[in-house]
């Protein structure tokens, strides 16, 4: 009985909500007929059509119908008729028609802009990471720089680049997640993250230092580890885009971006290796600790267990990336085919 009463209340509430959508849908339909029946300027038509078209599209997605009419399709048809009467070209009118802006049209049109934003993010975040004095902030800015490579691969719109961007996202989660975890282990021991207050920690915590070095190599793309597979494919996809498949008028831009992306790899290796060298090697340097505190210990079994699954995937993806690439290939190939047919 309890479930039946809840079901009845839910049904009545849904019907009330649906009734409200019917009213709004009816208003949108009448508004479209109004815009189609009166004279207006091109600008008015475009502004009105874009605003009302968005609402009608949302309503149609939610399943709202009036007298069996698809509000969005009916509205677009009426607006197109009016645009034809006013002599608007397809280039002028296509902004109103969401069906003409479906994927991959928008991705194709904005690929050059997204590539520029991605390379700015890569280089700017790398330079920001380079000047950090806090270990955690350095790793955080390196994460932002790495995400720029993900965007760059996706908007190369090449099979290799898109696959590289996707697997780079996975690798980023593995390596950067592990680095943040190790930084947390360090903070638990020393209660500071300031690079200037730490040094030579490999003498105290050799196991923790070894893990930091390993995941740093993973982050900067050392061959044989997971980072290399994604980074190499992203760069290869961008170079293919710039030298063999750039849109007319954009070849120079994509080529410059491809070369600048390599500088992001160099900067990433620079600041990460500098961090490891300063914190874990050289003369031992530790912040002052209270006399009653126990001595600093190395990585515990619990901490190693938390990092073990990440280690498995770091080597798995690094040694056998094809296992993962083959599983994403059908979706990636379909995207490139859509772009090629553009």
């Amino acid at each position: 009985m309890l479930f039946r009463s809840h079901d009845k209340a839910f049904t009545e509430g849904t019907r009330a909500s649906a009734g409200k959508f019917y009213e709004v849908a009816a208003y949108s339909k009448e508004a479209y007929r109004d815009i189609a029946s009166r004279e207006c300027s091109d600008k008015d038509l475009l502004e009105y059509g874009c605003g009302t078209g968005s609402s009608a599209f949302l309503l149609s997605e939610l399943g709202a119908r009036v007298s069996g009419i698809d509000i969005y399709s009916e509205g677009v048809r009426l607006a197109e008729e009016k645009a034809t009467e006013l002599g608007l070209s397809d280039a002028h009118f296509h902004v109103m028609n969401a069906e003409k802006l479906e994927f991959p049209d928008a991705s194709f049109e904005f690929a050059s802009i997204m590539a520029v934003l991605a390379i700015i993010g890569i280089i700017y975040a790398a330079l920001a990471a380079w000047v950090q004095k806090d270990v955690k902030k350095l790793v955080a800015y390196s994460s932002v720089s790495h995400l720029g490579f993900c965007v760059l691969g996706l908007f190369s719109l090449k099979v290799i680049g898109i696959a590289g961007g996707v697997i780079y996202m996975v690798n980023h989660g593995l390596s950067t997640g592990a680095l943040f975890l190790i930084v947390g282990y360090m903070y638990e021991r020393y209660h500071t993250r300031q690079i200037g207050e730490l040094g030579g920690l490999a003498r105290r915590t050799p196991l923790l230092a070894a893990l930091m070095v390993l995941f740093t190599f993973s982050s900067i793309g050392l061959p044989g580890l997971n980072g290399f597979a994604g980074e190499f494919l992203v760069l290869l996809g961008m170079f293919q885009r710039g030298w063999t498949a750039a849109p007319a008028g954009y070849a120079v831009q994509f080529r410059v971006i491809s070369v600048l992306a390599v500088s992001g790899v160099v900067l990433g290796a620079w600041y990460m290796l500098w961090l490891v060298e300063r914190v874990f090697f050289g003369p031992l340097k530790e912040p002052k600790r209270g006399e009653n505190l126990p001595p600093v210990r190395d990585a515990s079994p619990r901490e190693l267990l938390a990092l073990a699954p990440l280690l498995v995937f770091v080597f798995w993806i690094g040694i056998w990336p094809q296992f993962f690439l083959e599983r994403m290939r059908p979706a990636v190939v379909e995207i490139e085919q859509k772009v090629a047919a553009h």
Side-chain angles (χ1 to χ4, degrees):
M1 291 297 293
L2 178 62
F3 287 106
R4 288 181 181 177
S5 62
H6 276 290
D7 182 60
K8 181 179 179 181
F10 180 81
T11 302
E12 290 176 355
T14 305
R15 285 175 178 170
S17 301
K20 180 61 66 176
F21 277 118
Y22 273 97
E23 292 177 11
V24 177
Y27 174 79
S28 298
K29 176 169 174 279
E30 292 303 320
Y32 266 119
R33 288 184 172 168
D34 176 64
I35 194 67
S37 63
R38 65 187 177 88
E39 294 296 330
C40 58
S41 66
D42 296 358
K43 181 181 178 182
D44 288 340
L45 177 63
L46 288 172
E47 291 179 351
Y48 189 95
C50 287
T52 314
S54 300
S55 302
F57 176 71
L58 176 61
L59 287 168
S60 65
E61 285 294 299
L62 291 169
R65 298 289 186 271
V66 178
S67 302
I69 299 175
D70 183 337
I71 299 302
Y72 172 68
S73 300
E74 177 71 5
V76 168
R77 184 186 66 78
L78 292 170
E80 284 180 337
E81 290 177 0
K82 188 62 181 178
T84 303
E85 293 176 13
L86 294 173
L88 294 177
S89 64
D90 287 340
H92 194 191
F93 178 69
H94 83 281
V95 295
M96 291 179 59
N97 193 344
E99 293 178 344
K100 294 182 182 178
L101 290 176
E102 64 183 7
F103 181 83
D105 293 358
S107 299
F108 187 86
E109 293 294 333
F110 290 98
S112 59
I113 298 175
M114 294 303 298
V116 170
L117 293 175
I119 200 65
I120 291 174
I122 290 171
I123 296 176
Y124 176 80
L127 293 174
W130 189 22
V131 299
Q132 294 305 311
K133 298 179 181 180
D134 184 296
V135 180
K136 190 174 182 179
K137 287 183 179 180
L138 190 149
V139 175
Y141 275 107
S142 76
S143 174
V144 175
S145 183
H146 289 164
L147 289 173
F149 281 101
C150 297
V151 175
L152 205 60
L154 294 176
F155 282 92
S156 70
L157 300 179
K158 302 294 293 181
V159 168
I160 291 178
I162 296 172
V166 173
I167 204 164
Y168 202 110
M169 288 188 237
V170 177
N171 294 336
H172 172 263
L174 295 171
S175 58
T176 305
L179 289 172
F180 275 121
L181 197 57
I182 293 172
V183 170
Y185 293 165
M186 292 168 51
Y187 184 80
E188 185 181 12
R189 288 162 171 75
Y190 293 104
H191 300 286
T192 182
R193 295 192 298 263
Q194 296 301 308
I195 297 174
E197 297 179 5
L198 302 169
L201 300 187
R203 300 182 183 184
R204 292 283 193 197
T205 58
L207 201 54
L208 202 59
L211 289 170
M212 183 68 177
V213 170
L214 178 62
F215 283 109
T216 296
F217 286 157
S218 164
S219 177
I220 65 178
L222 184 74
L225 300 179
N226 62 325
F228 177 76
E231 201 164 75
F232 179 76
L233 292 176
V234 166
L235 293 175
L236 187 58
M238 276 307 300
F239 273 91
Q240 281 188 353
R241 185 70 168 167
W243 265 265
T244 65
Y250 291 94
V252 175
Q253 176 182 327
F254 277 100
R255 290 174 185 178
V256 171
I257 289 172
S258 302
V259 175
L260 289 176
V262 178
S263 69
V265 177
V266 175
L267 288 171
W270 192 343
Y271 62 71
M272 287 303 300
L273 293 176
W274 174 82
L275 170 67
V276 170
E277 187 272 334
R278 284 289 302 274
V279 173
F280 287 95
F281 299 97
L284 180 62
K285 186 178 181 181
E286 298 176 299
K288 293 182 179 180
R289 292 167 53 84
E291 296 180 358
N292 297 328
L293 294 176
V296 174
R297 56 181 174 77
D298 204 354
S300 67
R302 173 180 59 83
E303 292 170 334
L304 294 177
L305 186 62
L307 288 170
L310 304 180
L311 277 172
V312 171
F313 281 99
V314 162
F315 285 104
W316 188 359
I317 298 175
I319 296 171
W320 192 18
Q322 198 66 19
F323 177 85
F324 301 90
L325 294 173
E326 283 297 329
R327 281 153 179 77
M328 69 177 74
R329 182 176 177 79
V332 172
V333 169
E334 182 181 354
I335 291 173
E336 192 193 43
Q337 289 174 348
K338 288 182 177 180
V339 172
H342 187 277

